């Protein structure tokens, strides 16, 4: 595409990710922005290599036509991941630096916690990376920090409100909520009218409320046992998985058990990913439900008076961050919801901006974490699935892989039987994706230890399963050059795209009907609900949260609920342990088994290797 | 000074702070930078109105001469504060925009927690503010978020390490800490040599260690009861003041009581404020002591293998943030340690940079929170004390002021007796400050309700107490124009400065001797140590943490330990409840009574008013 792209000089064997990243001097991000026809009022610089693209750019380009929209998914992964981000980046480097296309890569911001734990960074790998990789993996432009701050302000507001309500009469509470101004007059502040409206009170002066209305307005009467809102932290801190708070003497015995999640699991992250504008985000943040009143009514952030403050904390986070690949193509990094308990996709606003910036004939390539049932929220044109031989072997019944340990020898020596057996997993991913009405291109991510026979076995299985094409790629070792064939295949698939997208279920059926449609796509014979799940479904139905899509919280290591069931399992009953709701983000999420929302640190975390060269200021040891 | 300054058109009565801040279009921060002779490689932009000034600028200007160094302190405050930041900003606006001097204001980054609680923002007030005030008060350039992340990574590392040590043999632990590489060889990573050196083991190959050395190296054997490191959060969350962690089933019963502090109370904040370079920060972060081994040896961040990772998280935070005042003079915002449990001053690196940038004849004006015993760490030339009539009345025995409530009528009607009695407080602040060998200029911050007789009473008392000068100021109402006389007085005081600075105590005396020297300056007759305090002093002495300065953790509402003792109390015995150490930051901090390190939220927090105008993107309701 642009003047900013460049080709890499690659060496073999492939050096460490941070060494490759540090070997390339990134372009000033304003050069990348200029190549996308962004002028300086369209973005804010954050240092030399990052810029926040302002949503206001949509006011100018909103009327122009969209480019092609490519979604990179994966097969059921091993715990090490199979290079989905690497493929996403490699494909874009091919399209931009070798096939002369306009292209923007839209990826998620990674959680900082795992960077210091087991997983390491998430900027791609080898010669297909987003750079500077340290800035990508750490802090970025502060969006996750903003989410942490907003999430925890809401959490503090909940407990403190319960505390203050417990020690004050209705009248005292009301008088403190609506204190007299200097002139001695009481008034409601703007946010209070949201609660008044919800309660059906259309009075505007505090003194006009009846004692019953005063009580209804001032007393949220939150049932502590119903609180679903947890505190968050962007650190792998397993000791916060279950805690008791409020044990200080000043809190007067108001203890309760709760937990911290990792920040990316916050509903506010899901809101950021799904919002479409600043005004929309304000409404979503205010509508978030944190628990119920003792009478069973949902209590929201706006009931607590804090929806506006949350929006203020998130006002810069709504702007996606522009970065670049190793070969100088543009990247928009934005939002990073957990793929297992949220929808695992980068933001809608970044994609919207990118689709306009590349225009007709251009490409926006984004990736979707496992469980990408968010697809129903998005407009997909083509979904490219990719795989690696390593994962396919696992689905064929190979030994279990544990992250951080060297690979079992079965994964580094040729084993065609394992690979062919594992292809049943790929086949189901292809057929499930095709059912949305999109073309599927399979990217076979070649590892150095894969043999040609193994790679061809995967390719043939993919074509037999109805993939539009299947292409062997070496972008990890060769950068964009290694994904040129993939780029060509993707372009053809885009040009032959069918319309419109088909959804798996309509929104206006019951919660259970929707859950069952998804379970069926997993290969399940049926669904089993716990008592708790039944109760919650009934409650959400009663509360009117009926027409929301479903976001299953399920292990990513199997189509089923059981991580040990590899390949394409069928004939099982999917157990629904509990059902929760992210009303602000806009989905109901059934919990399939137990999902950890706070990772831990191993005995020797990644942080042992991470340091700074104080003479150059460069980060070392980040992988 | 520069081309960027401008004069304000003021209106009366003074509008709300956010309305004044929003009424002025800030200059692009690169204009402010240019006026300081900073070229674009010296700073990184963070949006249009903030830039991080890179420490590398010192390599270029390090040889040039410093400007005058002015420290703004206060008298013992009311809970509402008396306008110290406002005076700091007003004085700089006067010097820069009216007296044609080169000037840089160096202030602390405020904690975000109180912004949503009771206190509101901290950008100054009226026509003396740092702008944009919403960016100043929220997120800024992410430094406090970086501190939160680093602090909590260390916290997670502590508990997880204890957990892993409890379930593994010495050998298993060692093998996991030094796993074999792909080639099957074990090696120490760089950070491990720090621990080896501390243990006196000078071997370089893991296999050469004796079983005893393996045990000493791999087993930190942290005594859970000795852990002083707490988690932090930049939110007023009182329910985290005392908590129990580790209650999840996977943590196998390893529960313990701990607490969250507000982020600015983290030792890492104190390190940021006191560090002098990137290499120095690396050493300080690694040296931070988190607790003791069961044998009584201090355990550090580097023992846990995490000092490098903490530095990486803090690598951008070390660069001060450039902003501007309402009248276009430059401001460096950097670090914000708590004034009560840490040293309450902005960073040394910001001051160092600023002193070089203004050069001879220029002014750097910084502020010091109450308890500014950090003075011993700094080179002070002149300390300007300021006061307000409101606070002086309190020290004369007026009714108690509670933040958030309208003032008692005694504070808004003339009461000369109260003011004159309150001046004893001012007098002691003047004489204590003069004892450092610096000239004291008293800025009498005029409130609209103060009478001329009251203001003159304060002025006369200050002069009688030996102040270099005492000046009535109206910068809140008039901007820099209202502080021109103050600016002239400060300039004269600078030109007549005496050298060198006198310290209150030398470093090479005992911990108790140092505590007693400070207590004497409070007016105490003696010091009383709890059993716990005696034990800790003995331990730190034994551990060799002897020659550190003392940072008293004491209420800011009285010279004594008792907030109710106003004026200039004497004849009391100062009780030391406990003694702690911030070894990385470099001080011992005795606790005088109980200091809260986690504020709470009132029934109606500030956040009720805070929202965003989604049509303009402007923040509203921030005060």
């Amino acid at each position: 595409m642009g003047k900013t792209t460049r080709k890499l000089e690659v060496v073999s064997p492939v050096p460490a990710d941070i060494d490759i990243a540090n070997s390339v001097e990134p372009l000033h991000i304003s050069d990348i922005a200029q190549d996308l026809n962004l002028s300086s009022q369209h973005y804010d610089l954050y240092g030399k290599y990052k810029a926040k693209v302002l949503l206001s750019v949509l006011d100018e380009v909103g009327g122009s036509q969209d480019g092609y929209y490519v979604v990179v998914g994966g097969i059921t992964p091993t715990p090490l991941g199979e290079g989905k981000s690497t493929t996403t980046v490699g494909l874009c480097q091919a399209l931009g630096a070798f096939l002369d296309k306009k292209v923007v890569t839209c990826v998620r911001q990674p959680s900082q916690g795992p960077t210091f734990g087991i997983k390491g960074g998430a900027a791609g790998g080898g010669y297909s990376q987003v750079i500077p990789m340290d800035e990508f993996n750490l802090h970025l432009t502060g969006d996750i920090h903003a989410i942490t701050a907003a999430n925890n302000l809401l959490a503090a507001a909940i407990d403190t409100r319960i505390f203050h309500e417990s020690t004050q009469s209705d009248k005292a509470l009301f008088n403190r909520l609506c204190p007299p101004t200097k002139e001695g007059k009481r008034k409601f502040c703007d946010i209070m009218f949201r609660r008044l409206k919800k309660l059906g009170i259309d009075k505007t002066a505090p003194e006009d409320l009846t004692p019953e209305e005063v009580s209804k307005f001032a007393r949220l009467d939150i049932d502590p046992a119903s609180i679903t809102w947890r505190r968050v932290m962007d650190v792998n801190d397993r000791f916060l998985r279950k805690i008791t708070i409020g044990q200080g003497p000043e809190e007067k015995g108001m203890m309760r058990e709760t937990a911290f999640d990792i920040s990316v699991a916050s509903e506010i992250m899901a809101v950021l990913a799904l919002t479409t504008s600043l005004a929309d985000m304000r409404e979503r943040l205010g509508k978030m439900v944190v628990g119920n009143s003792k009478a069973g009514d949902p209590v929201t952030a706006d009931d607590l008076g804090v929806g506006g403050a949350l929006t203020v904390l998130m006002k810069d986070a709504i702007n996606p961050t522009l970065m670049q690949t190793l070969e100088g193509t543009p990247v928009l990094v934005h939002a990073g919801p957990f793929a297992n308990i949220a929808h695992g996709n980068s933001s809608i606003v970044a994609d919207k901006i990118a689709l306009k910036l590349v225009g007709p004939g251009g490409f926006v390539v984004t990736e979707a974490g496992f469980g990408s049932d968010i697809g129903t929220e998005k407009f997909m044109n083509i979904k490219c699935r990719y795989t690696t031989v390593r994962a396919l072997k696992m689905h064929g019944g190979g030994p279990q892989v544990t992250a951080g340990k060297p690979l079992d020898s079965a994964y580094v020596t040729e084993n065609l039987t394992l690979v062919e057996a594992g292809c049943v997993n790929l086949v189901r991913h292809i057929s499930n994706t095709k059912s949305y009405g999109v073309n599927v291109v399979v990217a076979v991510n070649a590892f150095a230890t894969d043999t040609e026979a193994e790679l061809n076995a995967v390719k043939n299985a993919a074509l037999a399963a109805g993939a539009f094409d299947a292409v062997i790629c070496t972008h990890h070792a060769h950068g964009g050059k290694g994904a040129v064939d993939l780029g060509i295949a993707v372009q053809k698939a885009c040009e032959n795209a069918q319309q419109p997208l088909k959804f798996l279920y309509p929104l206006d059926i019951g919660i259970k009907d929707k859950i069952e449609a998804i379970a069926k796509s997993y290969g399940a014979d049926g669904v089993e609900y716990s008592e708790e799940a039944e109760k919650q479904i009934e409650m959400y139905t009663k509360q009117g949260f009926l027409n929301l899509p479903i976001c299953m919280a399920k292990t990513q290591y199997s189509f089923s609920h059981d991580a040990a069931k590899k390949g394409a399992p069928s004939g099982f009953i999917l157990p629904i342990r509990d059902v929760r709701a992210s009303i602000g983000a806009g989905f109901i999420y059934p919990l399939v088994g137990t999902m950890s929302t706070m990772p831990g640190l191993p005995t020797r975390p990644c942080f042992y290797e991470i340091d700074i060269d104080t003479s150059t200021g460069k980060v070392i040891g980040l992988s």
Side-chain angles (χ1 to χ4, degrees), chain A:
Chain A
M1 61 193 277
K3 300 169 292 278
T4 61
T5 61
R6 63 177 151 209
K7 275 123 197 177
L8 295 165
E9 281 176 42
V10 307
V11 298
S12 175
V14 180
D17 289 352
I18 183 85
D19 293 334
I20 295 176
N22 282 342
S23 73
V24 174
E25 183 63 34
L27 295 159
H28 198 285
I29 199 66
S30 58
D31 293 336
I32 303 282
Q34 195 174 16
D35 221 36
L36 284 171
N37 294 320
L38 288 168
S39 61
S40 63
Q41 81 267 27
H42 290 139
Y43 59 88
D44 280 339
L45 291 173
Y46 277 64
K48 296 171 181 66
Y49 309 121
K50 292 171 295 189
K52 273 194 171 286
V53 179
L54 306 177
L55 248 51
S56 54
V57 73
L58 284 173
D59 300 340
E60 277 177 49
V61 298
S64 55
Q65 268 196 286
D66 287 338
Y68 292 124
Y69 193 30
V70 181
V71 180
V72 178
I75 61 159
T76 306
T78 67
L80 290 177
E82 300 309 323
K84 190 162 71 265
S85 302
T86 306
T87 300
T88 305
V89 174
L91 171 58
C92 291
Q93 291 183 178
L95 287 166
F98 289 85
L99 298 170
D100 206 29
K101 302 292 175 194
K102 283 218 165 223
V103 62
V104 175
T105 316
C106 289
V107 292
R108 284 175 285 172
Q109 178 186 0
S111 170
Q112 201 165 264
T115 305
F116 295 104
I118 295 184
K119 189 169 166 283
Y127 287 102
S128 294
Q129 292 188 57
V130 181
I131 55 169
M133 76 93 106
D134 55 339
E135 299 191 19
F136 178 84
N137 284 306
L138 304 172
H139 305 312
L140 196 70
T141 48
D143 297 351
I144 293 181
H145 295 323
I147 288 166
T148 304
N151 183 99
N152 293 344
L153 176 61
L154 178 50
I158 296 166
D159 283 301
T160 314
R161 180 62 173 254
I162 295 174
F163 176 77
H164 287 307
E165 287 192 19
S166 76
T167 58
Q168 295 175 41
S169 69
D170 288 356
K171 203 180 150 201
L173 204 54
F174 187 67
N175 288 349
R176 282 209 176 78
L177 288 169
C178 304
T181 59
K182 276 180 200 161
E183 295 76 35
K185 241 181 92 73
R186 293 183 190 281
K187 65 194 235 0
F188 291 120
C189 58
D190 284 349
I191 201 168
M192 292 176 175
F193 288 105
R194 292 172 181 250
R195 178 158 174 83
L196 290 167
K197 190 177 167 195
K198 175 176 162 179
L199 296 173
I201 302 171
D202 67 353
K203 299 175 179 173
T204 54
E207 45 268 27
D208 293 347
L209 264 60
T210 66
E212 290 67 34
E213 287 170 337
V214 162
S215 175
K216 270 168 73 180
F217 171 80
R219 198 166 288 284
L220 303 182
D221 204 28
I222 297 169
D223 175 5
S226 77
I227 299 172
T228 49
W229 198 262
R230 296 164 158 209
R231 288 165 179 82
V232 300
M233 189 185 274
D234 194 16
V235 175
N236 285 16
D237 192 347
R238 57 184 292 165
F239 277 76
L240 299 181
R241 283 174 188 162
K242 192 170 172 191
I243 65 172
T244 298
I245 59 167
Q247 297 181 309
E250 291 157 317
E251 281 59 66
K252 300 177 184 170
M254 265 192 52
M255 298 173 214
R256 78 182 174 88
E257 274 188 0
T258 180
F260 272 75
D261 293 330
I262 195 157
S263 297
V264 292
S266 169
E267 180 174 349
I268 297 178
M269 177 59 96
V271 166
L272 179 65
L274 292 169
T275 192
T276 50
S277 69
L278 188 60
D280 174 72
M281 184 168 75
R282 170 65 188 89
E283 294 310 309
R284 286 174 183 268
L285 292 174
K287 279 195 315 196
M288 294 187 306
V289 171
V290 300
N292 298 324
S293 72
K294 285 176 186 146
D297 298 319
V299 176
T300 66
D302 274 342
D303 287 328
L304 286 155
V306 74
L310 301 183
T311 312
V312 168
L313 283 168
M314 293 292 295
K315 80 180 173 64
D316 298 322
I318 201 173
N319 301 312
T321 299
L322 182 66
M323 293 188 75
Q324 63 193 288
T325 65
L326 280 169
E327 292 181 301
T329 65
V331 179
L332 283 179
V333 189
H334 205 210
F338 248 34
N340 49 7
I341 79 139
H343 64 283
N345 275 257
S346 62
S347 84
I348 288 177
V349 292
D351 291 354
K352 272 173 73 175
I353 292 171
L355 286 164
K356 298 299 180 191
L357 291 179
V358 300
F363 294 84
V364 173
V365 184
T366 187
E367 56 171 349
F370 184 84
S372 59
D373 305 328
I374 181 60
T376 50
E377 294 273 357
K378 282 186 170 180
F379 179 72
M380 295 196 302
N381 284 304
I382 294 178
K383 187 168 195 176
C384 297
R385 287 202 173 271
Y386 82 96
T387 184
T388 68
V389 171
R390 183 166 57 179
L392 288 173
K393 278 187 191 172
M394 189 175 77
H395 293 291
Q400 198 201 346
V401 175
T402 305
K405 287 188 188 169
L407 285 173
D408 189 284
S409 65
Y411 295 99
V412 291
T413 53
E414 179 170 311
N415 188 327
L416 271 179
T417 321
L418 270 179
V419 170
E420 280 162 6
C423 280
V424 297
N425 179 267
L426 171 63
V427 165
R428 188 181 286 171
H429 282 290
I430 294 170
S431 83
N432 275 12
T433 308
K434 271 175 62 91
S435 74
Y436 291 103
V438 298
N439 289 330
V440 178
V441 175
V442 175
V444 186
N445 231 352
F447 279 57
T449 48
D450 301 334
T451 69
E452 206 177 313
E454 288 178 327
L455 295 168
N456 282 327
V458 176
K459 189 173 160 171
N460 294 336
L463 292 171
F468 184 87
D469 203 348
V471 187
I472 294 161
C473 309
T474 61
H475 41 270
H476 185 275
H478 302 116
K481 197 176 173 185
V484 166
D485 290 347
L486 177 63
I488 293 168
V490 165
Q491 187 185 351
K492 279 192 196 146
C494 287
E495 287 163 358
N496 288 283
Q498 297 154 16
Q499 297 286 356
L501 194 68
K502 292 180 214 149
F503 296 109
L504 192 58
Y505 55 84
L507 288 180
D508 59 359
I509 59 175
I511 292 174
K512 282 190 175 181
D513 297 330
K514 287 184 266 196
I515 292 173
E516 279 147 31
I518 298 168
K520 206 174 144 195
S521 78
Y522 294 159
D525 269 2
V527 179
E528 194 175 72
Y529 299 90
S530 72
E531 205 177 308
E532 189 58 29
E534 293 277 8
K535 218 181 76 187
Q536 292 294 106
I537 291 171
E538 197 184 328
M539 185 184 77
Y540 292 133
T541 306
K542 206 176 97 190
Q543 290 178 339
F545 303 136
L546 201 61
N547 292 331
L548 295 172
I550 303 295
C551 180
M552 302 289 263
K554 188 185 71 67
T555 176
Q556 64 270 45
Y557 297 125
S558 171
F559 268 108
S560 77
H561 55 286
D562 178 359
K565 283 204 170 84
K566 302 301 177 191
S570 62
F572 57 92
I573 302 293
L574 195 77
I576 305 294
R577 184 172 62 84
D578 201 351
V579 176
R580 299 204 185 134
S582 287
I583 299 304
F587 53 71
I588 300 283
Y589 63 101
L591 305 184
V592 186
T594 307
M595 302 300 302
S596 173
T597 48
M598 177 53 92
L601 294 170
T603 304
R604 185 186 186 283
C606 296
F607 63 60
Y608 265 91
E609 296 284 356
I610 300 172
D611 209 326
I612 204 155
D613 178 337
T614 56
S615 60
T616 63
K618 291 252 188 218
V619 174
I620 51 180
L622 203 60
S623 60

